[in-house]
Amino acid sequence: MKAIAVLTSGGDGPGLNAVIRSVTRQALAHGVEVYGVRWGYRGLINGEISPLTSRDVGGKMGYGGTILGTARCPEFKDMKVRRTALRNLHQNGIEGLVVIGGNGSLTGALALNEMGLPTYGIPASIDNDINGTDMAVGVDTTLNTILDAIDRIKDTASSHQRAFLIEVMGRDCGYLALASGLAGGAEMIMVPERPGPPVEEIAAAVSEAYVHGKHHCIMVVAEGWKPGTRAVEEYLHTYKDDLGFDVRVTVLGHVQRGGRPSAFDRLLATRMGAFAVEHLLSGESGHMAALRGSQLEPFPLADAVAKLRPLDMRLLELSSVMD
Ligand code: ADP
Ligand code: F6P
């Protein structure tokens, strides 16, 4: 291959710039030209493609967001639209593509690969819902952001003897809630993978925490959990005089996506970027770089997007012992 391109797609997250840097420098080290595509698949369709030099990607590793920009581009699901994208790449002499993103973005990468463009994926999503990799780029930083918030909220919760519902991101996956709740010593963790418990049971647990002499009751709720944070808030508010704790809600929202990537994420990003280029140049495509234990391995994109990464239910059991 003489030239490859790289793009970031879907939701941003910490560590994307470190991946772009690694992809660029590894390709240049092999004498291969690198092109950056702006705004994810939208830029591929509109031809927003320009060369990247080693200097272009320098000094950005420690910053959140993505220097290439990202977007959600629903029209990319249309085969005709993807053909336009392929034509744009072809016109620039680009023979391979590295896609950095979550489940949707990797589905797009698989579709391009099936249309004949050698494509390699890098799992990057704060949700940690990508099947086949122990960790995606961005997850570790986001967990630390959430943990910082839990620690701060705990100060206020204890000082005022309050119960707190802390809602975290994750789309349909409970990983962020489970991992941060465990690490943050939450009294309860609610995830979409485990239905319930009913609000009455949640209220009973809050009341029990009070009876046991706790000064706070922290509940970490995944945004995808049903019946949802607000339903629990309403119920607890109605019965606050019986429970012993008043209740407050904090929805962490997009503060979870930005910020300086952790050492773990920078390292993972650097390893995955270089791995993807190495494998793409050696003729392998239709795979993503996957962290399996401590090693990186190729993992088929088709299997990565076939289902969501299952939650480790043993961790959920552990959380019920630790509350
Ligand atoms: P993420 O990659 O973070 O999961 P999305 O699910 O929003 O984010 O997907 C990002 C983009 O990936 C979409 O906006 C679309 O451009 C592309 N994409 C998603 N699903 C498909 C699909 N089935 N075929 C082709 N492209 C897709
Ligand atoms: O996939 C990352 C994520 O932050 C999810 O956790 C969340 O549900 C979604 O993206 C929010 O998307 P948007 O930034 O488009 O509102």
Side-chain angles (χ1 to χ4, degrees):
M1 280 182 196
K2 291 201 179 67
I4 65 168
V6 58
L7 63 80
T8 47
S9 161
D12 75 317
L16 299 180
N17 291 324
V19 186
I20 297 166
R21 170 180 179 272
S22 172
V23 166
T24 304
R25 292 196 172 161
Q26 176 78 322
L28 293 174
H30 282 80
V32 173
E33 272 182 85
V34 189
Y35 287 78
V37 182
R38 300 300 313 274
W39 316 118
Y41 292 127
R42 201 171 75 208
L44 215 48
I45 302 164
N46 298 336
E48 294 177 85
I49 302 167
S50 48
L52 280 177
T53 65
S54 188
R55 280 299 88 229
D56 291 331
V57 296
K60 319 277 191 317
M61 178 146 72
Y63 293 94
T66 158
I67 55 170
L68 291 175
T70 185
R72 308 213 195 255
C73 173
E75 59 271 33
F76 203 69
K77 292 179 185 167
D78 182 342
M79 166 89 89
K80 286 201 290 292
V81 171
R82 290 200 299 276
R83 279 205 197 100
T84 307
L86 289 182
R87 205 166 40 242
N88 287 334
L89 288 170
H90 188 67
Q91 275 168 3
N92 283 284
I94 294 163
E95 297 166 283
L97 176 67
V98 176
V99 171
I100 308 164
N103 275 304
S105 307
L106 297 177
T107 306
L110 176 63
L112 288 174
N113 195 69
E114 285 169 349
M115 290 169 76
L117 175 75
T119 306
Y120 220 91
I122 297 194
S125 164
I126 64 162
D127 303 334
N128 212 21
D129 60 349
I130 303 169
N131 187 43
T133 187
D134 292 345
M135 291 289 272
V137 173
V139 176
D140 180 69
T141 308
T142 295
L143 275 180
N144 283 300
T145 302
I146 297 172
L147 203 52
D148 183 53
I150 293 176
D151 287 346
R152 286 165 191 265
I153 288 171
K154 212 184 254 184
D155 289 346
T156 299
S158 299
S159 303
H160 287 265
Q161 288 209 311
R162 279 178 183 162
F164 263 88
L165 290 154
I166 304 175
E167 186 180 293
V168 302
M169 281 186 163
R171 210 178 274 192
D172 301 318
C173 173
Y175 181 86
L176 286 177
L178 177 55
S180 66
L182 258 179
E187 273 65 36
M188 287 192 84
I189 300 170
M190 279 84 112
V191 293
E193 291 85 348
R194 184 177 62 182
V199 281
E200 295 80 5
E201 240 176 73
I202 295 170
V206 171
S207 173
E208 206 176 301
Y210 183 75
V211 170
H212 285 158
K214 293 204 179 196
H215 294 297
H216 59 248
C217 181
I218 302 290
M219 291 164 277
V220 180
V221 187
E223 64 176 347
W225 177 78
K226 300 278 183 298
T229 313
R230 292 293 167 194
V232 180
E233 180 196 15
E234 261 171 45
Y235 189 90
L236 296 184
H237 193 72
T238 307
Y239 293 101
K240 69 175 181 191
D241 294 334
D242 306 328
L243 298 175
F245 286 125
D246 194 2
V247 65
R248 293 288 187 278
V249 171
T250 303
V251 178
L252 292 184
H254 286 80
V255 294
Q256 294 162 97
R257 287 246 292 265
R260 294 172 70 80
S262 63
F264 180 92
D265 273 331
R266 294 185 205 193
L267 196 54
L268 183 65
T270 302
R271 290 171 67 200
M272 283 188 165
F275 182 95
V277 170
E278 198 74 46
H279 283 248
L280 190 61
L281 296 183
S282 71
E284 182 181 80
S285 68
H287 287 70
M288 70 172 187
L291 184 68
R292 319 269 291 175
S294 61
Q295 299 302 312
L296 292 188
E297 290 175 16
F299 191 81
L301 282 175
D303 296 334
V305 303
K307 60 172 189 176
L308 290 185
R309 179 180 183 275
L311 199 63
D312 185 347
M313 298 313 265
R314 288 166 306 183
L315 281 185
L316 207 52
E317 293 313 316
L318 184 59
S319 74
S320 57
V321 178
M322 293 295 151
D323 61 11

